[in-house]
Amino acid sequence: MVDRWFSVRRWLALMLKEFIQMRRDRMTFSMMISVPLMQLALFGFAVNSDPKHLPTAIIDADHGPFSRAVISALEVSGYYRIEAPNVSEQEADRLLSAGSVQFIISFPPDFSRRVARGERPPLLVEADATDPAATSNALGSLSAIIAAALDRDLRGPLAVLKPADQPVSLTLHRRYNPEGVTQYNVVPGLIGVVLSSTMVIMTAMAVTRERERGTMEALLVTPIRPLEMMLGKITPYILIGLVQIAIILLAARLLFTIPLRGDLLLLMVCCLVFIGTNLAIGFIFSIMARTQLQAMQMASSFLMPSILLSGFMFPYRGMPGWAQGLGEVLPLTHFLRIVRGIVLKGNGLPDISHDLLALGVLWLGIALLSLRLYRKTLD
Amino acid sequence: MSMAISVSGLTKRFGERVVVNDLSLNVPAGQIMGFLGPNGSGKTTTLRMLCGLLTPDGGQGRCLGHDIRTEAAAIKRQVGYMTQKFSLYEDLSIQENLAFFARVHGLPKVGVLVRETLERLGLWSRRSQLAAHLSGGWKQRLALAACILHRPRLLLLDEPTAGVDPQARRDFWAELHRLAADGLTVLVSTHYMDEAERCHGIAYLAYGTLLTCGTVDQVVASSGLTTTRASGPPEALARLHQALHGLAGVEMVAPFGRALHVGSSDAQALGAALAPFRHTPDIVWSDDPPSLEDAFIHLMAGVTRTQGQGQGQGQAGAEHG
Ligand SMILES: Nc1ncnc2c1ncn2[C@@H]1O[C@H](COP(=O)(O)OP(=O)(O)OP(=O)(O)O)[C@@H](O)[C@H]1O
Ligand SMILES: [Mg+2]
């Protein structure tokens, strides 16, 4: 009997029941729809911070004394960490798009010679400005750092060359978010936060509610298998999640005029993976909790670090190493990179593949764990 | 005769407390077995172990030929379990509840089946009412209907008629006997003596220990109780009650309307103790056999006397009588 392991009928029966119950519980239902709107309103303002050691790629066509001086000054300043000391233009672009570096700094071929001649050569700095809070301080101090570096090197016999104003003509490209609008960063991130909180809380309550009301006892003597139980409880919320995404994307377009640069289909696929991961986490909580109150507490003790450490509240690169490590195992961290990449940078599958993979691995691991933890008895 | 339930040495502990102690029970197929015992004696716990909802800490056994420890899934498919606490969905309608359980059991033609069931119960006109809004007795009847939908071979019913009116109870028992005639086995817990007397056999549990098991007559006989009935006007009975209470040789005095049941396990001592009262004016004495209730109360008192709070190691059986 195939029914032994998984029965589509039982799964559908459970799902139908959840839908009916959801429909009857008007309060919860309207909360699930209004929470995204509320959070959109709340997070219109972002929290600022001062991240340092931002990864930087250098395109150095000069290799002269002055380009070296500028590079080392950048590093000494603490704001920049040279991740790729000498790369091609394409490579640098790829790194920026994948989010591996925050800045690209390009020195033209005869940079040192022209500085020595006092010609104020151009220096191009491109920044990944999806998260303006992450780059603003680093960019703000840029011209001072460069001026100081060249000033020191233009002492002695070359002191006469010291120009009165800036020794280079600095060009700044804020890529992906030219105006440096904070909402650009926050609003796509909200998709992640809203999905995460609704999904984890709702599923955490799902099984616990059955236990608290005593219906679990009747359910456990039916032939329902753990996998059917999990999928039956989870599927209705996937649909709710998709509605929430639509609400936020629409609000992003209409209220904050944030364009969707990437592929909507790819975004939806990633959202589904993320929703699945969160539902599995909620399901684990609902297996462990005895009461709905406990389930609620577990859910919020998971959501708090998710929101704080994922790069939603504070720039990820501004956090200390241990916090970044913690952030790395939170699904929201990976999802935020994906969603910002797709919405703001127009990233394709290759750019986001490794964050998507990380999400998938987390999902699988958590789902397997939850099936293991599921108790088929009352004790 | 083949056994539908056959367990031995069943034990369940919650923390330090032994809730079911070394329980052995055999229920032949096609029988209705009443499961009795005072509150907290472990009836619900035993029923849960039988259908695989709780894992026993000791003992083994089979339900419908399947091992209760390792084949819980197979047992669940053929068992109808009605919980003591209402366990249907209060936020689903009557019809939705039945349809849900029918689907989960993979039954064909759910719509027709649910309709038939509801019409038989007389609930068809109220099918869209939420289960939460049913009266207590109707909830019980709906829950019973839900647990026999899939035509189980064994019914485990935990106080199915609590709060159900006499007519509905009579219908319910008629239905049970019909099902049993078709080969269904029933283990039903109850606190009602009249229901106990409608069972083919009864098992009596106190403090987690099975005290006695058998037909009504066997149980009454095993209690070793001798009773006498005194009837008369209320004032005379009240005076007699006071006089007999605590008298040596009298172990039990219980008022029943216009009569008093007086009993003891020592027939001679009872006769001697009652001799001075035999000629009390207005009182008529008759030597009635003990009722089932008399027997149970006496059994219970026996355990409390010999075992204190029920933590003892007494074996199941009739020797406590
Ligand atoms: N999950 C549990 N955890 C701890 N103790 C429990 C648990 N379930 C039952 N008990 C205890 O086990 C004892 C037996 O309970 P059980 O429900 O089996 O009694 P019962 O015979 O069904 O009583 P009633 O006639 O009142 O329904 C009770 O004292 C109860 O407090
Ligand atoms: Mg009980």
mmCIF file of all heavy atoms in Angstrom, chain B residues 220 223-230 250-254 256 260-267 270-271 274 278 285-296 298:
data_model
loop_
_atom_site.group_PDB
_atom_site.id
_atom_site.type_symbol
_atom_site.label_atom_id
_atom_site.label_comp_id
_atom_site.label_asym_id
_atom_site.label_seq_id
_atom_site.Cartn_x
_atom_site.Cartn_y
_atom_site.Cartn_z
ATOM 1 N N VAL B 220 -19.929 -9.762 41.340
ATOM 2 C CA VAL B 220 -20.655 -9.603 42.599
ATOM 3 C C VAL B 220 -20.258 -10.722 43.568
ATOM 4 O O VAL B 220 -19.960 -10.481 44.740
ATOM 5 C CB VAL B 220 -22.180 -9.601 42.350
ATOM 6 C CG1 VAL B 220 -22.929 -9.656 43.676
ATOM 7 C CG2 VAL B 220 -22.577 -8.353 41.575
ATOM 8 N N SER B 223 -16.829 -10.344 45.143
ATOM 9 C CA SER B 223 -16.660 -9.322 46.174
ATOM 10 C C SER B 223 -16.804 -9.936 47.573
ATOM 11 O O SER B 223 -16.341 -9.382 48.557
ATOM 12 C CB SER B 223 -17.690 -8.206 45.990
ATOM 13 O OG SER B 223 -18.972 -8.692 46.318
ATOM 14 N N GLY B 224 -17.445 -11.119 47.664
ATOM 15 C CA GLY B 224 -17.611 -11.805 48.951
ATOM 16 C C GLY B 224 -18.500 -11.029 49.911
ATOM 17 O O GLY B 224 -18.423 -11.190 51.126
ATOM 18 N N LEU B 225 -19.375 -10.190 49.359
ATOM 19 C CA LEU B 225 -20.198 -9.324 50.190
ATOM 20 C C LEU B 225 -21.559 -9.978 50.451
ATOM 21 O O LEU B 225 -22.113 -10.642 49.584
ATOM 22 C CB LEU B 225 -20.387 -7.985 49.470
ATOM 23 C CG LEU B 225 -21.111 -6.871 50.200
ATOM 24 C CD1 LEU B 225 -20.239 -6.340 51.335
ATOM 25 C CD2 LEU B 225 -21.424 -5.724 49.236
ATOM 26 N N THR B 226 -22.033 -9.855 51.672
ATOM 27 C CA THR B 226 -23.396 -10.270 51.987
ATOM 28 C C THR B 226 -24.180 -9.013 52.318
ATOM 29 O O THR B 226 -23.681 -8.173 53.070
ATOM 30 C CB THR B 226 -23.416 -11.175 53.223
ATOM 31 O OG1 THR B 226 -22.457 -12.200 53.034
ATOM 32 C CG2 THR B 226 -24.791 -11.780 53.431
ATOM 33 N N THR B 227 -25.364 -8.852 51.730
ATOM 34 C CA THR B 227 -26.122 -7.635 52.036
ATOM 35 C C THR B 227 -27.540 -7.964 52.496
ATOM 36 O O THR B 227 -28.087 -9.019 52.190
ATOM 37 C CB THR B 227 -26.237 -6.706 50.813
ATOM 38 O OG1 THR B 227 -26.674 -7.484 49.717
ATOM 39 C CG2 THR B 227 -24.950 -6.018 50.512
ATOM 40 N N THR B 228 -28.065 -7.020 53.217
ATOM 41 C CA THR B 228 -29.448 -7.101 53.665
ATOM 42 C C THR B 228 -30.065 -5.752 53.392
ATOM 43 O O THR B 228 -29.368 -4.728 53.427
ATOM 44 C CB THR B 228 -29.484 -7.390 55.170
ATOM 45 O OG1 THR B 228 -28.850 -8.629 55.391
ATOM 46 C CG2 THR B 228 -30.903 -7.455 55.683
ATOM 47 N N ARG B 229 -31.368 -5.790 53.131
ATOM 48 C CA ARG B 229 -32.033 -4.548 52.777
ATOM 49 C C ARG B 229 -33.069 -4.232 53.839
ATOM 50 O O ARG B 229 -33.857 -5.101 54.232
ATOM 51 C CB ARG B 229 -32.730 -4.758 51.455
ATOM 52 C CG ARG B 229 -33.002 -3.538 50.644
ATOM 53 C CD ARG B 229 -33.473 -4.031 49.287
ATOM 54 N NE ARG B 229 -34.878 -3.664 49.136
ATOM 55 C CZ ARG B 229 -35.251 -2.686 48.302
ATOM 56 N NH1 ARG B 229 -34.356 -2.084 47.561
ATOM 57 N NH2 ARG B 229 -36.517 -2.364 48.208
ATOM 58 N N ALA B 230 -33.037 -3.010 54.314
ATOM 59 C CA ALA B 230 -34.041 -2.585 55.282
ATOM 60 C C ALA B 230 -34.884 -1.516 54.630
ATOM 61 O O ALA B 230 -34.340 -0.520 54.142
ATOM 62 C CB ALA B 230 -33.371 -2.037 56.524
ATOM 63 N N VAL B 250 -20.636 -4.488 60.826
ATOM 64 C CA VAL B 250 -21.286 -3.855 59.678
ATOM 65 C C VAL B 250 -20.237 -3.045 58.924
ATOM 66 O O VAL B 250 -19.631 -2.136 59.482
ATOM 67 C CB VAL B 250 -22.436 -2.924 60.120
ATOM 68 C CG1 VAL B 250 -23.037 -2.207 58.914
ATOM 69 C CG2 VAL B 250 -23.478 -3.719 60.857
ATOM 70 N N GLU B 251 -19.982 -3.407 57.672
ATOM 71 C CA GLU B 251 -18.931 -2.710 56.918
ATOM 72 C C GLU B 251 -19.501 -1.642 55.998
ATOM 73 O O GLU B 251 -18.790 -0.737 55.577
ATOM 74 C CB GLU B 251 -18.126 -3.717 56.093
ATOM 75 C CG GLU B 251 -17.169 -4.528 56.959
ATOM 76 C CD GLU B 251 -16.544 -5.685 56.205
ATOM 77 O OE1 GLU B 251 -16.580 -5.678 54.955
ATOM 78 O OE2 GLU B 251 -16.055 -6.601 56.870
ATOM 79 N N MET B 252 -20.770 -1.794 55.657
ATOM 80 C CA MET B 252 -21.309 -0.878 54.664
ATOM 81 C C MET B 252 -22.761 -0.545 54.971
ATOM 82 O O MET B 252 -23.566 -1.445 55.217
ATOM 83 C CB MET B 252 -21.223 -1.546 53.290
ATOM 84 C CG MET B 252 -21.675 -0.687 52.150
ATOM 85 S SD MET B 252 -22.037 -1.705 50.707
ATOM 86 C CE MET B 252 -23.719 -2.169 51.084
ATOM 87 N N VAL B 253 -23.066 0.735 55.049
ATOM 88 C CA VAL B 253 -24.454 1.164 55.160
ATOM 89 C C VAL B 253 -24.662 2.245 54.119
ATOM 90 O O VAL B 253 -23.965 3.256 54.133
ATOM 91 C CB VAL B 253 -24.766 1.762 56.545
ATOM 92 C CG1 VAL B 253 -26.273 1.968 56.697
ATOM 93 C CG2 VAL B 253 -24.227 0.899 57.657
ATOM 94 N N ALA B 254 -25.583 2.010 53.185
ATOM 95 C CA ALA B 254 -25.813 3.018 52.152
ATOM 96 C C ALA B 254 -27.304 3.225 51.950
ATOM 97 O O ALA B 254 -28.039 2.269 51.741
ATOM 98 C CB ALA B 254 -25.154 2.578 50.846
ATOM 99 N N PHE B 256 -30.688 4.108 50.028
ATOM 100 C CA PHE B 256 -31.206 4.096 48.660
ATOM 101 C C PHE B 256 -32.667 4.475 48.718
ATOM 102 O O PHE B 256 -33.533 3.619 48.861
ATOM 103 C CB PHE B 256 -31.073 2.704 48.044
ATOM 104 C CG PHE B 256 -29.700 2.430 47.484
ATOM 105 C CD1 PHE B 256 -28.699 1.924 48.289
ATOM 106 C CD2 PHE B 256 -29.427 2.705 46.154
ATOM 107 C CE1 PHE B 256 -27.450 1.685 47.779
ATOM 108 C CE2 PHE B 256 -28.161 2.461 45.638
ATOM 109 C CZ PHE B 256 -27.165 1.951 46.455
ATOM 110 N N LEU B 260 -32.321 0.875 52.886
ATOM 111 C CA LEU B 260 -30.948 0.988 53.365
ATOM 112 C C LEU B 260 -30.246 -0.317 52.990
ATOM 113 O O LEU B 260 -30.774 -1.398 53.239
ATOM 114 C CB LEU B 260 -30.993 1.131 54.893
ATOM 115 C CG LEU B 260 -29.978 1.998 55.607
ATOM 116 C CD1 LEU B 260 -29.903 3.386 55.030
ATOM 117 C CD2 LEU B 260 -30.323 2.039 57.092
ATOM 118 N N HIS B 261 -29.090 -0.215 52.344
ATOM 119 C CA HIS B 261 -28.316 -1.430 52.078
ATOM 120 C C HIS B 261 -27.291 -1.583 53.181
ATOM 121 O O HIS B 261 -26.500 -0.679 53.419
ATOM 122 C CB HIS B 261 -27.597 -1.340 50.723
ATOM 123 C CG HIS B 261 -28.519 -1.538 49.569
ATOM 124 N ND1 HIS B 261 -28.089 -1.966 48.338
ATOM 125 C CD2 HIS B 261 -29.860 -1.377 49.457
ATOM 126 C CE1 HIS B 261 -29.116 -2.056 47.519
ATOM 127 N NE2 HIS B 261 -30.199 -1.692 48.172
ATOM 128 N N VAL B 262 -27.292 -2.735 53.817
ATOM 129 C CA VAL B 262 -26.347 -2.989 54.893
ATOM 130 C C VAL B 262 -25.559 -4.223 54.496
ATOM 131 O O VAL B 262 -26.137 -5.228 54.070
ATOM 132 C CB VAL B 262 -27.081 -3.262 56.218
ATOM 133 C CG1 VAL B 262 -26.092 -3.338 57.361
ATOM 134 C CG2 VAL B 262 -28.121 -2.193 56.476
ATOM 135 N N GLY B 263 -24.229 -4.123 54.575
ATOM 136 C CA GLY B 263 -23.463 -5.262 54.109
ATOM 137 C C GLY B 263 -22.177 -5.478 54.862
ATOM 138 O O GLY B 263 -21.686 -4.605 55.583
ATOM 139 N N SER B 264 -21.608 -6.702 54.692
ATOM 140 C CA SER B 264 -20.331 -7.041 55.303
ATOM 141 C C SER B 264 -19.767 -8.249 54.583
ATOM 142 O O SER B 264 -20.508 -9.025 53.964
ATOM 143 C CB SER B 264 -20.519 -7.363 56.779
ATOM 144 O OG SER B 264 -19.347 -7.939 57.295
ATOM 145 N N SER B 265 -18.436 -8.415 54.651
ATOM 146 C CA SER B 265 -17.852 -9.595 54.028
ATOM 147 C C SER B 265 -18.003 -10.808 54.950
ATOM 148 O O SER B 265 -17.763 -11.933 54.557
ATOM 149 C CB SER B 265 -16.386 -9.338 53.688
ATOM 150 O OG SER B 265 -15.758 -8.678 54.757
ATOM 151 N N ASP B 266 -18.366 -10.574 56.185
ATOM 152 C CA ASP B 266 -18.542 -11.673 57.138
ATOM 153 C C ASP B 266 -20.039 -11.826 57.429
ATOM 154 O O ASP B 266 -20.613 -11.062 58.213
ATOM 155 C CB ASP B 266 -17.766 -11.367 58.428
ATOM 156 C CG ASP B 266 -17.752 -12.561 59.360
ATOM 157 O OD1 ASP B 266 -18.652 -13.419 59.213
ATOM 158 O OD2 ASP B 266 -16.858 -12.614 60.219
ATOM 159 N N ALA B 267 -20.663 -12.813 56.768
ATOM 160 C CA ALA B 267 -22.113 -12.964 56.864
ATOM 161 C C ALA B 267 -22.562 -13.195 58.302
ATOM 162 O O ALA B 267 -23.568 -12.639 58.759
ATOM 163 C CB ALA B 267 -22.573 -14.116 55.975
ATOM 164 N N LEU B 270 -22.373 -10.100 60.418
ATOM 165 C CA LEU B 270 -23.445 -9.195 60.020
ATOM 166 C C LEU B 270 -24.756 -9.623 60.687
ATOM 167 O O LEU B 270 -25.485 -8.796 61.256
ATOM 168 C CB LEU B 270 -23.600 -9.187 58.499
ATOM 169 C CG LEU B 270 -24.651 -8.218 57.937
ATOM 170 C CD1 LEU B 270 -24.221 -6.784 58.167
ATOM 171 C CD2 LEU B 270 -24.894 -8.473 56.462
ATOM 172 N N GLY B 271 -25.033 -10.949 60.619
ATOM 173 C CA GLY B 271 -26.252 -11.463 61.233
ATOM 174 C C GLY B 271 -26.319 -11.116 62.710
ATOM 175 O O GLY B 271 -27.345 -10.620 63.214
ATOM 176 N N LEU B 274 -26.900 -7.392 63.337
ATOM 177 C CA LEU B 274 -28.226 -6.887 62.988
ATOM 178 C C LEU B 274 -29.343 -7.457 63.874
ATOM 179 O O LEU B 274 -30.440 -6.905 63.907
ATOM 180 C CB LEU B 274 -28.544 -7.179 61.517
ATOM 181 C CG LEU B 274 -27.707 -6.407 60.488
ATOM 182 C CD1 LEU B 274 -28.183 -6.711 59.075
ATOM 183 C CD2 LEU B 274 -27.781 -4.901 60.748
ATOM 184 N N ARG B 278 -33.664 -6.452 64.249
ATOM 185 C CA ARG B 278 -34.584 -7.197 63.391
ATOM 186 C C ARG B 278 -36.043 -6.863 63.663
ATOM 187 O O ARG B 278 -36.886 -6.974 62.782
ATOM 188 C CB ARG B 278 -34.386 -8.703 63.594
ATOM 189 C CG ARG B 278 -33.120 -9.252 62.929
ATOM 190 C CD ARG B 278 -33.269 -9.311 61.411
ATOM 191 N NE ARG B 278 -32.024 -9.812 60.815
ATOM 192 C CZ ARG B 278 -31.787 -9.846 59.508
ATOM 193 N NH1 ARG B 278 -32.690 -9.393 58.659
ATOM 194 N NH2 ARG B 278 -30.652 -10.308 59.056
ATOM 195 N N TRP B 285 -37.221 -6.166 56.782
ATOM 196 C CA TRP B 285 -35.912 -6.664 56.343
ATOM 197 C C TRP B 285 -36.086 -7.669 55.219
ATOM 198 O O TRP B 285 -36.987 -8.482 55.233
ATOM 199 C CB TRP B 285 -35.172 -7.332 57.513
ATOM 200 C CG TRP B 285 -34.798 -6.345 58.584
ATOM 201 C CD1 TRP B 285 -35.548 -6.005 59.655
ATOM 202 C CD2 TRP B 285 -33.604 -5.597 58.655
ATOM 203 N NE1 TRP B 285 -34.907 -5.067 60.428
ATOM 204 C CE2 TRP B 285 -33.684 -4.802 59.814
ATOM 205 C CE3 TRP B 285 -32.450 -5.501 57.858
ATOM 206 C CZ2 TRP B 285 -32.672 -3.938 60.210
ATOM 207 C CZ3 TRP B 285 -31.439 -4.645 58.265
ATOM 208 C CH2 TRP B 285 -31.568 -3.861 59.420
ATOM 209 N N SER B 286 -35.214 -7.597 54.231
ATOM 210 C CA SER B 286 -35.223 -8.647 53.201
ATOM 211 C C SER B 286 -33.770 -8.945 52.818
ATOM 212 O O SER B 286 -32.940 -8.028 52.761
ATOM 213 C CB SER B 286 -36.007 -8.193 51.972
ATOM 214 O OG SER B 286 -35.443 -6.992 51.459
ATOM 215 N N ASP B 287 -33.426 -10.220 52.562
ATOM 216 C CA ASP B 287 -32.042 -10.590 52.255
ATOM 217 C C ASP B 287 -31.791 -10.537 50.756
ATOM 218 O O ASP B 287 -31.772 -11.557 50.072
ATOM 219 C CB ASP B 287 -31.741 -11.989 52.806
ATOM 220 C CG ASP B 287 -31.541 -11.947 54.308
ATOM 221 O OD1 ASP B 287 -31.345 -10.824 54.824
ATOM 222 O OD2 ASP B 287 -31.612 -13.000 54.950
ATOM 223 N N ASP B 288 -31.617 -9.282 50.247
ATOM 224 C CA ASP B 288 -31.342 -9.118 48.813
ATOM 225 C C ASP B 288 -29.877 -9.409 48.515
ATOM 226 O O ASP B 288 -29.017 -9.106 49.343
ATOM 227 C CB ASP B 288 -31.630 -7.665 48.394
ATOM 228 C CG ASP B 288 -33.114 -7.458 48.174
ATOM 229 O OD1 ASP B 288 -33.878 -8.375 48.517
ATOM 230 O OD2 ASP B 288 -33.476 -6.379 47.676
ATOM 231 N N PRO B 289 -29.581 -9.930 47.297
ATOM 232 C CA PRO B 289 -28.167 -10.061 46.920
ATOM 233 C C PRO B 289 -27.584 -8.671 46.698
ATOM 234 O O PRO B 289 -28.329 -7.731 46.401
ATOM 235 C CB PRO B 289 -28.232 -10.855 45.612
ATOM 236 C CG PRO B 289 -29.587 -10.591 45.065
ATOM 237 C CD PRO B 289 -30.487 -10.379 46.244
ATOM 238 N N PRO B 290 -26.273 -8.510 46.874
ATOM 239 C CA PRO B 290 -25.669 -7.182 46.685
ATOM 240 C C PRO B 290 -25.812 -6.707 45.244
ATOM 241 O O PRO B 290 -25.798 -7.522 44.319
ATOM 242 C CB PRO B 290 -24.208 -7.393 47.057
ATOM 243 C CG PRO B 290 -23.986 -8.851 47.149
ATOM 244 C CD PRO B 290 -25.304 -9.537 47.236
ATOM 245 N N SER B 291 -25.977 -5.422 45.063
ATOM 246 C CA SER B 291 -25.981 -4.852 43.713
ATOM 247 C C SER B 291 -24.529 -4.720 43.256
ATOM 248 O O SER B 291 -23.594 -4.825 44.043
ATOM 249 C CB SER B 291 -26.648 -3.481 43.724
ATOM 250 O OG SER B 291 -25.809 -2.570 44.401
ATOM 251 N N LEU B 292 -24.373 -4.453 41.960
ATOM 252 C CA LEU B 292 -23.028 -4.267 41.405
ATOM 253 C C LEU B 292 -22.327 -3.106 42.096
ATOM 254 O O LEU B 292 -21.147 -3.165 42.427
ATOM 255 C CB LEU B 292 -23.144 -4.003 39.905
ATOM 256 C CG LEU B 292 -21.863 -4.068 39.097
ATOM 257 C CD1 LEU B 292 -21.188 -5.413 39.266
ATOM 258 C CD2 LEU B 292 -22.158 -3.802 37.628
ATOM 259 N N GLU B 293 -23.093 -2.064 42.361
ATOM 260 C CA GLU B 293 -22.499 -0.894 43.001
ATOM 261 C C GLU B 293 -22.004 -1.234 44.396
ATOM 262 O O GLU B 293 -20.897 -0.849 44.789
ATOM 263 C CB GLU B 293 -23.523 0.237 43.061
ATOM 264 C CG GLU B 293 -22.910 1.518 43.560
ATOM 265 C CD GLU B 293 -23.886 2.674 43.492
ATOM 266 O OE1 GLU B 293 -24.078 3.183 42.380
ATOM 267 O OE2 GLU B 293 -24.452 3.044 44.531
ATOM 268 N N ASP B 294 -22.850 -1.991 45.141
ATOM 269 C CA ASP B 294 -22.409 -2.436 46.468
ATOM 270 C C ASP B 294 -21.079 -3.170 46.354
ATOM 271 O O ASP B 294 -20.144 -2.935 47.121
ATOM 272 C CB ASP B 294 -23.439 -3.401 47.077
ATOM 273 C CG ASP B 294 -24.743 -2.700 47.420
ATOM 274 O OD1 ASP B 294 -24.704 -1.472 47.637
ATOM 275 O OD2 ASP B 294 -25.783 -3.376 47.447
ATOM 276 N N ALA B 295 -21.020 -4.046 45.366
ATOM 277 C CA ALA B 295 -19.814 -4.854 45.190
ATOM 278 C C ALA B 295 -18.600 -3.969 44.912
ATOM 279 O O ALA B 295 -17.535 -4.142 45.504
ATOM 280 C CB ALA B 295 -20.023 -5.854 44.057
ATOM 281 N N PHE B 296 -18.763 -2.982 44.022
ATOM 282 C CA PHE B 296 -17.637 -2.107 43.674
ATOM 283 C C PHE B 296 -17.166 -1.291 44.870
ATOM 284 O O PHE B 296 -15.974 -1.168 45.132
ATOM 285 C CB PHE B 296 -18.036 -1.160 42.541
ATOM 286 C CG PHE B 296 -18.046 -1.829 41.196
ATOM 287 C CD1 PHE B 296 -18.863 -1.368 40.194
ATOM 288 C CD2 PHE B 296 -17.229 -2.928 40.952
ATOM 289 C CE1 PHE B 296 -18.877 -1.985 38.951
ATOM 290 C CE2 PHE B 296 -17.236 -3.552 39.718
ATOM 291 C CZ PHE B 296 -18.072 -3.079 38.717
ATOM 292 N N HIS B 298 -17.507 -1.945 47.896
ATOM 293 C CA HIS B 298 -16.868 -2.835 48.847
ATOM 294 C C HIS B 298 -15.446 -3.194 48.397
ATOM 295 O O HIS B 298 -14.497 -3.177 49.181
ATOM 296 C CB HIS B 298 -17.699 -4.105 48.995
ATOM 297 C CG HIS B 298 -17.161 -5.031 50.030
ATOM 298 N ND1 HIS B 298 -17.221 -4.730 51.373
ATOM 299 C CD2 HIS B 298 -16.529 -6.220 49.929
ATOM 300 C CE1 HIS B 298 -16.645 -5.707 52.048
ATOM 301 N NE2 HIS B 298 -16.218 -6.631 51.190
#
